[in-house]
Amino acid sequence: MSSSSSSDSTPLSVHLPVLMREVLRALDPQPGQIIVDGTAGGGGHSREILKRIGDTGTLIGLDRDPMMLQLAAQKVQGDNVHLIHASYALLPQVLQDLGIAQVDGILLDLGLSSDQLADRQRGFGFAAEGPLDLRFDTSAGEPAWQLLERLNEEELATIFKEFGEERFASQIAARIVETRKRKPILTAQDLTAVVTAAVTSKRSDRQPATRVFQALRIAANEELGQLEVFLKSHLQDFLKTGGRGAIISFHSLEDRLVKNAFRDKHRFRLLTPKPVIPAAVEQRANPRSRSAKLRAVERL
């Protein structure tokens, strides 16, 4: 873990934070409170939270992606702001290092940032020319292109099916194994071409590689495992009684985990009987928000 500071050479964030009013309504941040933004991203949510907790409050912004922390630092600064390079799954260590026992609110926005999609060096976009990395933190774990090179056909199919809910997981895995015998699959463009060739005659509902990219990104970052750790203990252990937790998910795998955890009536009072989705006006202004779902709880 490490702290981050703003850099003059860092470009401005282009990401639009989703469900802003709904998040603020759910968290209800008040002056003097301690709030954790566990996925600081471009700092959009953090900035509005900081306005509400004021100089007497404390904002803790975490992110696994150093680039995103640099962007966040352009929007949230001050002696009461701690931007830390760490996963929200490491919240116990983060709070211990800061000498904080419990907090008043925790926010997670599990979506991929527009800034990350625009970074052509890590392969998040389908047409990215750089290495197919897909890691938020390139200093840890194994890049996606290595997974494609190392895993056998059955293992690849399992990843695509379980993490991407991909109907054609077996066909795609077979095509990848066949292709890599001739040449390595090193970039986003390479993978997109392989997946498109494997399924192009079977569907035309969206970019054919969407679910495969999602699955590889989840695998490369161990995203569901990190979320499970957080939901199992951190939300209860580090929220004060009456503290609030809010989580924005973007696909059914994440949302299912959040929904099931929030059902625990012994730990939480559910603030959102149904998931909150973006209003039509937000969906029109920011099409990437369409799949967002917000769920929130209060710690009992």
Side-chain angles (χ1 to χ4, degrees):
M1 297 183 301
S2 61
S3 297
S4 176
S5 60
S6 179
S7 169
D8 292 338
S9 62
T10 304
L12 294 174
S13 173
V14 298
H15 182 70
L16 297 175
V18 302
L19 292 163
M20 179 65 80
R21 286 184 298 179
E22 294 83 353
V23 163
L24 294 173
R25 189 179 302 121
L27 284 179
D28 191 26
Q30 298 294 317
Q33 287 189 334
I34 304 172
I35 306 291
V36 174
D37 185 345
T39 48
H45 289 119
S46 288
R47 177 169 57 186
E48 297 304 315
I49 290 169
L50 186 60
K51 289 179 183 178
R52 285 156 178 78
I53 62 176
D55 294 338
T56 59
T58 299
L59 174 71
I60 304 167
L62 312 179
D63 210 288
R64 299 170 71 182
D65 190 335
M67 179 187 76
M68 300 311 302
L69 285 176
Q70 290 179 346
L71 293 172
Q74 297 175 346
K75 295 182 179 178
V76 289
Q77 298 179 17
D79 293 338
N80 61 335
V81 174
H82 304 277
L83 295 179
I84 299 171
H85 180 210
S87 166
Y88 58 77
L90 297 177
L91 184 61
Q93 185 179 341
V94 170
L95 294 182
Q96 182 179 14
D97 290 346
L98 293 173
I100 295 173
Q102 290 184 311
V103 302
D104 298 286
I106 303 175
L107 169 67
L108 298 185
D109 178 350
L110 303 176
L112 191 66
S113 167
S114 298
D115 301 302
Q116 290 166 322
L117 286 168
D119 181 1
R120 301 180 69 85
Q121 299 307 306
R122 284 186 288 172
F124 287 113
F126 299 121
E129 299 158 354
L132 182 66
D133 195 304
L134 299 183
R135 290 174 296 171
F136 300 137
D137 182 357
T138 57
S139 69
E142 187 176 9
W145 69 265
Q146 287 187 6
L147 292 176
L148 291 177
E149 186 68 23
R150 178 176 62 81
L151 299 179
N152 63 37
E153 183 176 328
E154 182 179 355
E155 290 169 328
L156 288 171
T158 298
I159 286 176
F160 301 152
K161 183 176 181 180
E162 293 188 358
F163 295 161
E165 300 179 301
E166 172 56 64
R167 288 183 296 159
F168 306 113
S170 297
Q171 295 96 311
I172 294 169
R175 182 63 68 97
I176 287 172
V177 171
E178 176 187 340
T179 300
R180 74 188 186 190
K181 293 176 182 177
R182 303 190 303 271
K183 61 177 182 177
I185 301 170
L186 299 177
T187 70
Q189 289 180 333
D190 292 341
L191 178 59
T192 300
V194 172
V195 175
T196 301
V199 304
T200 189
S201 63
K202 299 180 175 66
R203 64 157 181 239
S204 58
D205 57 331
R206 67 169 94 184
Q207 160 57 247
T210 298
R211 294 181 182 274
V212 171
F213 271 73
Q214 172 186 300
L216 282 173
R217 193 197 76 226
I218 289 173
N221 294 289
E222 299 182 336
E223 292 179 39
L224 296 183
Q226 302 248 335
L227 181 58
E228 286 179 312
V229 167
F230 176 85
L231 292 170
K232 184 177 181 180
S233 60
H234 299 357
L235 199 61
Q236 179 184 20
D237 293 346
F238 299 103
L239 269 180
K240 297 176 182 178
T241 299
R244 294 187 169 195
I247 301 179
I248 303 172
S249 61
F250 284 81
H251 57 75
S252 60
L253 299 173
E254 295 170 339
D255 185 58
R256 195 176 303 128
L257 291 174
V258 176
K259 178 181 179 180
N260 290 337
F262 283 7
R263 280 176 171 169
D264 189 340
K265 296 181 180 180
H266 299 290
R267 297 196 296 164
F268 306 118
R269 179 173 74 89
L270 191 61
L271 301 175
T272 51
K274 293 183 179 180
V276 179
I277 62 174
V281 63
E282 179 176 2
Q283 292 187 37
R284 287 194 297 270
N286 180 15
R288 287 176 179 163
S289 72
R290 290 173 183 166
S291 57
K293 292 182 178 181
L294 170 68
R295 297 183 187 271
V297 290
E298 181 179 272
R299 165 85 156 81
L300 296 177

